[in-house]
Amino acid sequence: MRTANVRTIVIWTLVALVGAAGWSVLALARGEDVSAAWMVAAALGSYAIGYRFYSKFIAYKVLKVDATRATPAERLNNGIDFHPTDRRVLLGHHFAAIAGAGPLVGPVLAAQMGYLPGTVWIIAGVIFAGAVQDMVVLFFSTRRDGRSLGQMAREEIGPFGGAAALIAAFAIMIILLGVLALVIVNALAASPWGTFSIAMTIPIALLMGFYLRVLRPGRVAEVSLIGVGLLLLALVAGRWVAESSWAGAFTLAPSTLVVWLVAYGFIASILPVWMLLAPRDYLSTFMKIGTIALLALGVVVALPTLKMDPVTDFASRGDGPVFAGSLFPFVFITIACGALSGFHSLISSGTTPKMIQKETQVRMIGYGSMLMESSVAIMALVAASIIDPGLYFAMNAPAGAIGTTVENASQVVTGWGYSISPAELAQAAKNVEEATLLSRTGGAPTLAVGVSEIFSKVTGGSLRAFWYHFAIMFEALFILTALDAGTRVGRFMLQDMLGNVYRPFKNISWKPGLVLTSAIVCALWGYFLWVGVHEPLGGINQLFPIFGISNQLLAAVALAVCTTLLVKSGRLKWAWITGIPLAWDATVTLTASFQKVFSSDPKVGFFKQRSVFQDAIDDGKVLPPAKSMDDMHTVVTNSTVDGILTAVLALLIVVVIADALRVCVRHLRRPALSTLSEAPYVESKILAPAGLIPTREEREEARDAVTPTGV
């Protein structure tokens, strides 16, 4: 047994003290200025402790990862979907795939409740729930030839609960993809800079893919330098294009962007994973992590003050203008991807288990990537909390609440207890070269303002507008990488479902099935996106209100499958690792679902909202956000659909959890009746480190043997 030396003890004691100091200041400081640096300290200290100790305990004590066991990427390597991928590239791909709109937007919206509840949930949630889910799902999927979450549920829980999981997971996936695509369209519709720069990442990624596959296999450091250099050039050139005569060619209408996004999603889904998807995600990770690291550094250098209250009155009253509902359960629903996200389980049982070289890498890729995403969520919360609260609420409240003039907005926001003058609202818009910042809802513009605030304190106020538009483009790039990987995963899920009826679909690289299922997935989310772009209250806009709940319901499915597999595989005493997060997530999400369906508050309950708008139609009245009687009928339809879908999805998840519990109880009573669909053991021929930096033992092992390590 290895024992810690004095140096190690001192280092980890200092890390713990930094985290503890951050938590102490955030929890105890009242009535005085609190620097955002304390939030960063609490987060980084907690992440380091969680990764070093908790994730290692789970990986080696609970899961017992086996470096000698061949993964699906090695055993089934076909160069299309199964392909052993260098851990550094795969870490970039996995992080880019899971880090979509959620960690950027959710914490910004949740700042309505104050900075403290969001901080606690983001950090504690990721360490004990989100990162655990991602790593455990990745491990069990890797042991099962990269099976999708729904298919694992069907094989391990049974056809009844498995069918419910398959249907729920696929339906939720389409909703999530549509919402992600809508955010991208909104971000790029008037941004030639963003459109050009993001478009350039595609040929850069293709070059990187061929460089690693054909020109210089295994030369990850070389291709990283080339890719980063070209990416920086694309970012700079994007601004040149935006200020040149070419700007019109890259200023695309929303409907045009929809067509391009659907086409890109289809192509990215069917091309070999090494050619476009993995290198593009790896490339974008440099920009994502680089920007977040610079933000953290900017916070440490500039030491901006947290201007939002630790806990606002809206947390207890539940009548906030950004979103309605009390702190419990809705702050945990609004903050999804930064703490616990069901979408991640689809990636962990989608592209990543088909590319991972060694089981020992599930800790770094599964747990580590989720900590990276949580750091994004913390920086988003920081960005929302350092700007003037009056500006925050003016940006995130709907026009129906604050009006369309700075005078009216100032008056309404002041009535909420956060004063800001009309001149200050006008100046804030002028600083970032926008006509107005009123009712710029959705979270992304608020994040951009916060980012510009932090960076401008370091580089000077004259660059505030530059940093604002850079942040808008950065968010679009962030989300697009989740869209292409998500489309591919949706294809895997549909192939697994159809494979239960027609066996050739079981071979996920079977070209006719590959093309057909990719087309169906793109057509489904593309339809909702197209309608949503053309009808402000239709299409994906209709489903947007159930985005958070559906994502967390999917997490319940993933945690139920993980808990069942821990029990069936002889790890009963460790089932609490996913069982406790499952109980918490199910309690929170089913409570939120119940309130969204049955609440008597029309701002919360879908059916109550339907009743209120239907009564207004009967009286010939038009209520906001509707602008016409046709809109009123659309709101009634949307409320009905959202209420029914929420109830159906919640019922499906209850079925999955109940069936999983039945299987666990049966196993404990009669273990002989249980079967595991785990792939048989095959010895691995690949040598690859478990972490980013090889250990001394791994370096010595590599010197003693020369073996192929993939890309």
Side-chain angles (χ1 to χ4, degrees):
M1 175 183 284
R2 293 179 60 186
T3 57
N5 56 38
V6 174
R7 177 185 168 194
T8 301
I9 293 173
V10 170
I11 290 174
W12 286 105
T13 300
L14 290 175
V15 171
L17 289 174
V18 168
W23 281 117
S24 299
V25 173
L26 293 176
L28 302 177
R30 294 293 182 270
E32 57 188 280
D33 290 343
V34 177
S35 171
W38 290 114
M39 190 184 295
V40 175
L44 295 182
S46 301
Y47 295 154
I49 295 292
Y51 183 79
R52 171 60 180 82
F53 298 101
Y54 194 47
S55 72
K56 187 175 183 179
F57 160 73
I58 296 174
Y60 291 96
K61 183 71 174 180
V62 179
L63 301 179
K64 299 184 185 301
V65 294
D66 187 354
T68 69
R69 188 186 187 106
T71 64
E74 181 179 358
R75 290 186 291 103
L76 307 175
N77 183 7
N78 60 12
I80 300 177
D81 296 309
F82 293 92
H83 183 67
T85 303
D86 186 281
R87 68 200 184 283
R88 293 161 291 186
V89 177
L90 187 57
L91 177 69
H93 158 73
H94 187 80
F95 168 71
I98 65 173
L104 296 173
V105 174
V108 171
L109 302 181
Q112 168 184 265
M113 303 294 191
Y115 64 77
L116 194 54
T119 302
V120 172
W121 172 234
I122 290 170
I123 298 174
V126 72
I127 291 173
F128 297 108
V132 174
Q133 171 206 256
D134 292 13
M135 177 171 66
V136 177
V137 169
L138 177 57
F139 171 79
F140 282 126
S141 180
T142 300
R143 282 281 176 99
R144 285 156 180 77
D145 290 341
R147 287 279 189 268
S148 68
L149 177 67
Q151 189 64 24
M152 283 197 295
R154 187 179 187 278
E155 293 173 354
E156 302 292 352
I157 296 177
F160 187 60
L166 278 168
I167 295 170
F170 187 71
I172 291 170
M173 185 63 161
I174 296 302
I175 294 172
L176 298 181
L177 290 174
V179 170
L180 292 174
L182 181 64
V183 176
I184 296 170
V185 169
N186 290 337
L188 295 183
S191 176
W193 180 10
T195 301
F196 175 85
S197 298
I198 289 175
M200 288 301 102
T201 62
I202 297 174
I204 295 173
L206 289 171
L207 172 63
M208 292 173 66
F210 279 99
Y211 192 94
L212 283 175
R213 176 79 172 186
V214 180
L215 301 178
R216 300 273 284 174
R219 305 288 184 170
V220 177
E222 289 181 15
V223 82
S224 299
L225 291 174
I226 294 171
V228 171
L230 292 175
L231 175 62
L232 293 175
L233 179 60
L235 293 175
V236 174
R239 198 178 192 206
W240 294 341
V241 168
E243 296 172 352
S244 72
S245 58
W246 291 3
F250 291 93
T251 305
L252 304 181
S255 56
T256 305
L257 283 169
V258 171
V259 175
W260 279 112
L261 281 179
V262 171
Y264 171 73
F266 176 76
I267 293 171
S269 179
I270 64 175
L271 284 179
V273 71
W274 60 264
M275 187 181 295
L276 176 60
L277 189 69
R280 189 186 177 285
D281 289 352
Y282 177 62
L283 176 66
S284 70
T285 296
F286 282 101
M287 181 177 171
K288 292 179 179 183
I289 293 299
T291 301
I292 295 303
L294 287 175
L295 272 174
L297 182 62
V299 168
V300 173
V301 172
L303 298 176
T305 300
L306 296 170
K307 297 179 181 178
M308 185 65 73
D309 296 331
V311 182
T312 68
D313 292 339
F314 296 124
S316 57
R317 296 207 310 260
D319 60 349
V322 179
F323 63 92
S326 56
L327 188 151
F328 180 88
F330 289 105
V331 77
F332 305 101
I333 299 299
T334 304
I335 298 176
C337 296
L340 171 65
S341 170
F343 176 75
H344 297 185
S345 67
L346 303 182
I347 303 299
S348 290
S349 60
T351 52
T352 307
K354 300 174 181 65
M355 301 162 67
I356 194 168
Q357 291 174 314
K358 308 292 286 185
E359 275 191 6
T360 48
Q361 295 171 352
V362 300
R363 178 186 175 211
M364 175 188 69
I365 293 170
Y367 201 98
S369 291
M370 185 54 187
L371 292 183
M372 289 160 60
E373 187 190 30
S374 186
S375 69
V376 175
I378 283 293
M379 294 313 304
L381 185 58
V382 166
S385 301
I386 64 168
I387 66 176
D388 189 290
L391 176 60
Y392 169 86
F393 285 105
M395 291 184 67
N396 290 282
I402 63 172
T404 57
T405 65
V406 291
E407 291 77 15
N408 197 66
S410 172
Q411 183 178 356
V412 173
V413 171
T414 300
W416 293 334
Y418 301 96
S419 60
I420 186 168
S421 69
E424 289 172 324
L425 286 173
Q427 185 61 46
K430 184 179 179 181
N431 288 341
V432 295
E433 298 178 6
E434 291 281 356
T436 180
L437 288 176
L438 300 184
S439 299
R440 296 294 299 274
T441 58
T446 304
L447 174 61
V449 169
V451 169
S452 69
E453 180 80 13
I454 294 171
F455 281 159
S456 65
K457 286 182 180 294
V458 178
T459 61
S462 61
L463 292 176
R464 189 185 297 266
F466 170 85
W467 291 122
Y468 172 84
H469 290 283
F470 170 84
I472 292 291
M473 185 270 296
F474 163 74
E475 292 167 38
L477 175 65
F478 220 102
I479 299 164
L480 184 60
T481 53
L483 181 69
D484 52 19
T487 300
R488 197 180 193 96
V489 172
R491 186 250 287 181
F492 293 153
M493 295 167 64
L494 185 56
Q495 286 175 289
D496 277 344
M497 292 173 65
L498 295 177
N500 295 318
V501 180
Y502 185 58
R503 290 199 63 83
F505 280 103
K506 287 282 188 183
N507 177 6
I508 60 170
S509 299
W510 179 51
K511 286 187 170 53
L514 179 154
V515 173
L516 177 62
T517 51
S518 295
I520 292 173
V521 170
C522 290
L524 286 172
W525 66 255
Y527 166 77
F528 286 113
L529 177 62
W530 179 268
V531 176
V533 163
H534 290 84
E535 298 179 18
L537 296 177
I540 197 60
N541 298 302
Q542 180 186 55
L543 303 176
F544 200 94
I546 64 174
F547 172 77
I549 284 180
S550 61
N551 191 28
Q552 297 305 81
L553 288 173
L554 188 56
V557 173
L559 291 168
V561 172
C562 289
T563 305
T564 303
L565 284 169
L566 286 174
V567 172
K568 289 178 65 178
S569 60
R571 300 173 173 93
L572 174 63
K573 66 178 180 179
W574 306 122
W576 58 268
I577 289 171
T578 54
I580 293 176
L582 169 62
W584 169 257
D585 181 56
T587 300
V588 168
T589 313
L590 292 176
T591 300
S593 300
F594 183 87
Q595 292 187 20
K596 293 299 289 183
V597 174
F598 297 110
S599 174
S600 59
D601 183 351
K603 293 182 179 179
V604 177
F606 289 128
F607 289 142
K608 182 61 177 179
Q609 183 185 69
R610 180 197 183 284
S611 176
V612 168
F613 275 78
Q614 185 60 56
D615 290 344
I617 290 173
D618 295 339
D619 294 337
K621 298 178 182 178
V622 176
L623 304 177
K627 298 179 180 179
S628 65
M629 196 55 70
D630 286 341
D631 287 349
M632 291 289 290
H633 286 286
T634 301
V635 171
V636 168
T637 301
N638 290 355
S639 301
T640 304
V641 170
D642 288 341
I644 293 174
L645 273 178
T646 300
V648 169
L649 289 174
L651 181 61
L652 287 172
I653 271 56
V654 169
V655 169
V656 173
I657 295 174
D659 212 20
L661 180 61
R662 175 190 63 80
V663 171
C664 290
V665 171
R666 187 190 66 181
H667 174 80
L668 295 178
R669 289 178 176 175
R670 303 179 67 183
L673 295 179
S674 297
T675 58
L676 288 172
S677 60
E678 192 173 281
Y681 175 91
V682 174
E683 185 177 359
S684 175
K685 304 298 182 183
I686 288 178
L687 288 181
L692 277 180
I693 302 174
T695 63
R696 183 179 63 184
E697 293 83 0
E698 288 170 339
R699 289 196 297 270
E700 291 174 353
E701 186 180 19
R703 281 196 298 266
D704 293 339
V706 179
T707 59
T709 58
V711 175

